[in-house]
């Protein structure tokens, strides 16, 4: 794994992908960015999540939507989390990964260069549950495609998973099969481990990602991945922002509120709404 050991101080310059980052991302499909978030921002994000009232599945809190389908397995998922407050807005163009996602999925040096956030949500998991294996290079969807041609990356989606708590043994960490984003064959055990009654921990070739609070895992969505069972007490809290090229559309159809769009910086608005609606004058 590539590790960026630069300080995560708010005044630090943006992190730029190195040649080694590019090599390892191409080889493995993922990178770990250590101390991607400054501690004050981690605390601010957690404070917002602490303030979310108990929600029934598919209930709304303002423009934030609880949308987990399998709460016993996947915990609570709060979709459209960028609407939850200013700390989540800062993640849109955070300098720890902005240059990475621009390079890997922003269609650089093309006529549609730019980024779009396809999905953003917070995941809170307690004991139990897991995520079965999904994605992988075999018969992949275009949204999960991985390509490197003519000196440029062309990924359909790159995910940034940010740890708001330490994620170690027993904490339900993300599982990946390194290199599977380029696989031309289906894993022989895929059908066995893709079900909600079977975790992917025992799949051959799986690695569990361990993160410290404030670290980020950056990975191509075409990488075969899931999450291990959580056996420890307490909570595993992560935030996931999925980036893709500017011509994308939100996965679940959420529309950003006018209040959010009006208060965003121009750069953040251009990522959340890279193509503004075009209508005739009234």
């Amino acid at each position: 794994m590539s590790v960026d050991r630069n300080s995560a101080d708010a005044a630090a310059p943006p992190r730029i992908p190195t040649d080694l980052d590019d090599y390892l991302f191409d080889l493995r499909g993922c990178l770990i960015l250590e101390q991607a978030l400054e501690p004050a921002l981690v605390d601010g994000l957690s404070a917002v999540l602490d303030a979310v009232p108990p929600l029934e599945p598919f209930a709304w809190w303002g423009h934030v939507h609880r949308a987990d389908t399998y709460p016993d397995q996947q915990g609570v998922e709060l979709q459209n989390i960028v609407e939850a407050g200013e700390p989540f807005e800062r993640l849109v163009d955070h300098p720890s990964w902005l240059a990475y996602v621009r390079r890997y999925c922003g269609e650089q040096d093309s006529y549609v260069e730019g980024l779009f956030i396809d999905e953003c949500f917070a995941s809170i998991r307690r004991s139990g549950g897991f995520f079965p294996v999904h994605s992988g290079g075999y018969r992949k969807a275009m949204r999960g495609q991985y390509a490197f041609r003519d000196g440029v990356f062309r990924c359909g989606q790159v995910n940034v998973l940010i740890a708001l708590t330490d994620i170690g043994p027993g904490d339900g960490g993300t599982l990946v099969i390194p290199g599977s984003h380029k696989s031309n064959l289906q894993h022989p055990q895929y059908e066995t481990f893709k079900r909600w009654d079977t975790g992917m921990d025992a799949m051959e070739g799986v690695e569990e990602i361990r993160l410290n609070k404030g670290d980020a895992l950056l990975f191509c969505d075409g990488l075969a991945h899931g999450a291990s069972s959580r056996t420890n007490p307490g909570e595993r809290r992560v935030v996931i922002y999925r980036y893709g090229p500017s011509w994308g559309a939100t996965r679940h159809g959420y529309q950003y509120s006018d209040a959010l769009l009006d208060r965003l910086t121009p750069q953040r608005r251009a990522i959340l709404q890279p193509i503004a609606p075009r209508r005739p004058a009234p």
Side-chain angles (χ1 to χ4, degrees), residues 60 63 65 67 79-80 83 116-120 143 248-257 272:
W60 291 83
H63 291 269
H65 188 214
Q79 286 279 355
N80 209 32
E83 293 272 9
F116 179 69
I117 290 180
D118 163 83
E119 181 182 9
C120 57
R143 181 165 284 189
T250 59
R251 178 182 179 187
H252 298 295
Y254 295 110
Q255 300 293 310
Y256 301 116
S257 66
L272 291 184

CSV table of all heavy atoms in Angstrom, one decimal, residues 60 63 65 67 79-80 83 116-120 143 248-257 272:
chain,number,residue,atom,x,y,z
A,60,TRP,N,-36.2,10.7,6.8
A,60,TRP,CA,-35.4,11.8,6.4
A,60,TRP,C,-35.1,12.7,7.7
A,60,TRP,O,-35.9,12.8,8.6
A,60,TRP,CB,-36.1,12.7,5.4
A,60,TRP,CG,-36.2,12.0,4.0
A,60,TRP,CD1,-37.2,11.2,3.6
A,60,TRP,CD2,-35.4,12.2,2.9
A,60,TRP,NE1,-37.0,10.8,2.3
A,60,TRP,CE2,-35.9,11.4,1.9
A,60,TRP,CE3,-34.3,13.0,2.7
A,60,TRP,CZ2,-35.3,11.4,0.6
A,60,TRP,CZ3,-33.7,13.0,1.4
A,60,TRP,CH2,-34.2,12.2,0.4
A,63,HIS,N,-32.3,17.0,4.6
A,63,HIS,CA,-32.0,16.4,3.3
A,63,HIS,C,-31.2,15.2,3.4
A,63,HIS,O,-30.6,14.7,2.4
A,63,HIS,CB,-31.4,17.4,2.3
A,63,HIS,CG,-32.3,18.5,1.9
A,63,HIS,ND1,-33.1,18.5,0.8
A,63,HIS,CD2,-32.6,19.7,2.5
A,63,HIS,CE1,-33.8,19.6,0.7
A,63,HIS,NE2,-33.5,20.3,1.7
A,65,HIS,N,-30.9,11.2,4.3
A,65,HIS,CA,-31.8,10.1,4.2
A,65,HIS,C,-31.2,8.8,4.8
A,65,HIS,O,-30.1,8.4,4.4
A,65,HIS,CB,-32.1,9.8,2.7
A,65,HIS,CG,-33.2,8.9,2.5
A,65,HIS,ND1,-33.2,8.0,1.4
A,65,HIS,CD2,-34.4,8.6,3.1
A,65,HIS,CE1,-34.3,7.3,1.4
A,65,HIS,NE2,-35.0,7.6,2.4
A,67,ALA,N,-30.9,5.2,4.5
A,67,ALA,CA,-31.3,4.4,3.4
A,67,ALA,C,-30.7,3.0,3.4
A,67,ALA,O,-30.5,2.3,2.4
A,67,ALA,CB,-30.9,5.1,2.1
A,79,GLN,N,-27.5,8.6,3.8
A,79,GLN,CA,-27.2,9.0,2.4
A,79,GLN,C,-27.3,10.5,2.3
A,79,GLN,O,-28.0,11.2,3.1
A,79,GLN,CB,-28.1,8.3,1.4
A,79,GLN,CG,-27.7,6.8,1.2
A,79,GLN,CD,-26.6,6.7,0.2
A,79,GLN,OE1,-26.1,7.7,-0.4
A,79,GLN,NE2,-26.1,5.5,0.0
A,80,ASN,N,-26.7,11.1,1.3
A,80,ASN,CA,-26.7,12.5,1.0
A,80,ASN,C,-26.1,13.3,2.1
A,80,ASN,O,-26.6,14.4,2.4
A,80,ASN,CB,-28.1,12.9,0.6
A,80,ASN,CG,-28.2,14.1,-0.3
A,80,ASN,OD1,-27.3,14.3,-1.2
A,80,ASN,ND2,-29.2,15.0,-0.2
A,83,GLU,N,-25.3,17.1,3.0
A,83,GLU,CA,-26.3,18.1,3.4
A,83,GLU,C,-26.4,18.2,5.0
A,83,GLU,O,-27.1,19.0,5.5
A,83,GLU,CB,-27.7,17.6,2.9
A,83,GLU,CG,-27.9,17.7,1.4
A,83,GLU,CD,-28.4,19.1,1.0
A,83,GLU,OE1,-28.4,20.0,1.8
A,83,GLU,OE2,-28.7,19.2,-0.2
A,116,PHE,N,-17.4,14.6,-10.3
A,116,PHE,CA,-18.7,14.6,-9.9
A,116,PHE,C,-18.8,13.6,-8.7
A,116,PHE,O,-18.1,12.6,-8.8
A,116,PHE,CB,-19.7,14.2,-11.0
A,116,PHE,CG,-21.1,14.1,-10.6
A,116,PHE,CD1,-21.8,15.3,-10.3
A,116,PHE,CD2,-21.8,12.9,-10.5
A,116,PHE,CE1,-23.2,15.2,-9.9
A,116,PHE,CE2,-23.1,12.8,-10.1
A,116,PHE,CZ,-23.8,14.0,-9.8
A,117,ILE,N,-19.5,13.9,-7.7
A,117,ILE,CA,-19.7,13.0,-6.6
A,117,ILE,C,-21.0,12.2,-6.8
A,117,ILE,O,-22.1,12.8,-6.8
A,117,ILE,CB,-19.8,13.7,-5.2
A,117,ILE,CG1,-18.4,14.3,-4.9
A,117,ILE,CG2,-20.3,12.8,-4.1
A,117,ILE,CD1,-18.3,15.0,-3.6
A,118,ASP,N,-20.8,11.0,-7.1
A,118,ASP,CA,-21.9,10.1,-7.4
A,118,ASP,C,-22.7,9.7,-6.2
A,118,ASP,O,-23.9,9.5,-6.3
A,118,ASP,CB,-21.3,8.8,-8.1
A,118,ASP,CG,-22.2,7.6,-8.1
A,118,ASP,OD1,-23.0,7.5,-9.1
A,118,ASP,OD2,-22.2,6.8,-7.2
A,119,GLU,N,-22.1,9.6,-5.1
A,119,GLU,CA,-22.8,9.2,-3.8
A,119,GLU,C,-22.0,9.6,-2.7
A,119,GLU,O,-20.7,9.5,-2.7
A,119,GLU,CB,-23.0,7.6,-3.9
A,119,GLU,CG,-23.7,7.1,-2.7
A,119,GLU,CD,-23.8,5.5,-2.7
A,119,GLU,OE1,-23.2,4.9,-3.6
A,119,GLU,OE2,-24.5,5.0,-1.9
A,120,CYS,N,-22.6,10.0,-1.6
A,120,CYS,CA,-21.9,10.3,-0.3
A,120,CYS,C,-22.7,9.9,0.8
A,120,CYS,O,-23.9,10.3,0.9
A,120,CYS,CB,-21.4,11.8,-0.3
A,120,CYS,SG,-22.8,13.0,-0.4
A,143,ARG,N,-19.6,1.9,-14.8
A,143,ARG,CA,-19.3,2.8,-13.7
A,143,ARG,C,-18.1,2.4,-12.9
A,143,ARG,O,-17.4,3.2,-12.3
A,143,ARG,CB,-20.6,3.0,-12.9
A,143,ARG,CG,-20.4,3.9,-11.7
A,143,ARG,CD,-21.7,4.3,-11.1
A,143,ARG,NE,-22.4,5.3,-11.9
A,143,ARG,CZ,-23.6,5.9,-11.6
A,143,ARG,NH1,-24.1,5.7,-10.4
A,143,ARG,NH2,-24.1,6.8,-12.4
A,248,GLY,N,-21.3,12.3,-14.9
A,248,GLY,CA,-22.1,11.3,-14.2
A,248,GLY,C,-23.4,11.8,-13.6
A,248,GLY,O,-23.7,13.0,-13.7
A,249,ALA,N,-24.2,10.9,-13.0
A,249,ALA,CA,-25.4,11.2,-12.3
A,249,ALA,C,-25.4,10.5,-11.0
A,249,ALA,O,-24.8,9.5,-10.8
A,249,ALA,CB,-26.6,10.7,-13.2
A,250,THR,N,-26.1,11.1,-10.0
A,250,THR,CA,-26.2,10.5,-8.7
A,250,THR,C,-26.8,9.1,-8.8
A,250,THR,O,-27.7,8.8,-9.5
A,250,THR,CB,-27.0,11.3,-7.7
A,250,THR,OG1,-28.3,11.5,-8.2
A,250,THR,CG2,-26.3,12.7,-7.6
A,251,ARG,N,-26.2,8.2,-8.0
A,251,ARG,CA,-26.6,6.8,-8.0
A,251,ARG,C,-28.0,6.6,-7.6
A,251,ARG,O,-28.8,5.8,-8.1
A,251,ARG,CB,-25.7,6.0,-7.1
A,251,ARG,CG,-26.0,4.5,-7.0
A,251,ARG,CD,-25.1,3.8,-6.1
A,251,ARG,NE,-25.4,2.4,-6.0
A,251,ARG,CZ,-24.8,1.6,-5.1
A,251,ARG,NH1,-23.9,2.0,-4.3
A,251,ARG,NH2,-25.2,0.3,-5.0
A,252,HIS,N,-28.5,7.3,-6.6
A,252,HIS,CA,-29.8,7.1,-6.0
A,252,HIS,C,-30.8,8.3,-6.3
A,252,HIS,O,-31.9,8.3,-5.8
A,252,HIS,CB,-29.7,7.0,-4.5
A,252,HIS,CG,-28.9,5.8,-4.1
A,252,HIS,ND1,-29.3,4.5,-4.3
A,252,HIS,CD2,-27.7,5.7,-3.4
A,252,HIS,CE1,-28.4,3.7,-3.8
A,252,HIS,NE2,-27.4,4.4,-3.3
A,253,GLY,N,-30.3,9.2,-7.1
A,253,GLY,CA,-31.3,10.3,-7.5
A,253,GLY,C,-31.5,11.4,-6.6
A,253,GLY,O,-32.4,12.2,-6.7
A,254,TYR,N,-30.6,11.5,-5.6
A,254,TYR,CA,-30.7,12.7,-4.6
A,254,TYR,C,-30.4,14.0,-5.3
A,254,TYR,O,-29.6,14.0,-6.2
A,254,TYR,CB,-29.8,12.5,-3.4
A,254,TYR,CG,-30.1,11.3,-2.6
A,254,TYR,CD1,-29.3,10.2,-2.6
A,254,TYR,CD2,-31.2,11.3,-1.8
A,254,TYR,CE1,-29.6,9.1,-1.8
A,254,TYR,CE2,-31.5,10.2,-1.0
A,254,TYR,CZ,-30.7,9.1,-1.0
A,254,TYR,OH,-31.0,8.0,-0.2
A,255,GLN,N,-31.2,15.0,-5.0
A,255,GLN,CA,-31.0,16.3,-5.5
A,255,GLN,C,-30.5,17.2,-4.4
A,255,GLN,O,-31.1,17.2,-3.3
A,255,GLN,CB,-32.3,16.9,-6.1
A,255,GLN,CG,-32.8,16.0,-7.2
A,255,GLN,CD,-32.0,16.1,-8.5
A,255,GLN,OE1,-31.5,17.1,-8.9
A,255,GLN,NE2,-31.6,14.9,-9.0
A,256,TYR,N,-29.5,18.0,-4.6
A,256,TYR,CA,-28.9,18.9,-3.6
A,256,TYR,C,-29.9,20.1,-3.4
A,256,TYR,O,-30.4,20.6,-4.3
A,256,TYR,CB,-27.5,19.4,-3.9
A,256,TYR,CG,-26.6,18.2,-4.1
A,256,TYR,CD1,-26.0,17.9,-5.3
A,256,TYR,CD2,-26.3,17.4,-3.0
A,256,TYR,CE1,-25.1,16.9,-5.5
A,256,TYR,CE2,-25.4,16.3,-3.2
A,256,TYR,CZ,-24.8,16.0,-4.4
A,256,TYR,OH,-24.0,15.0,-4.6
A,257,SER,N,-30.0,20.5,-2.1
A,257,SER,CA,-30.8,21.6,-1.8
A,257,SER,C,-30.2,22.9,-2.3
A,257,SER,O,-29.0,23.1,-2.5
A,257,SER,CB,-31.1,21.7,-0.3
A,257,SER,OG,-29.8,22.1,0.4
A,272,LEU,N,-20.2,19.1,-7.0
A,272,LEU,CA,-21.6,18.6,-6.8
A,272,LEU,C,-22.5,18.8,-7.9
A,272,LEU,O,-23.4,18.0,-8.2
A,272,LEU,CB,-22.2,19.2,-5.5
A,272,LEU,CG,-21.5,18.8,-4.2
A,272,LEU,CD1,-22.2,19.4,-3.0
A,272,LEU,CD2,-21.4,17.3,-4.0
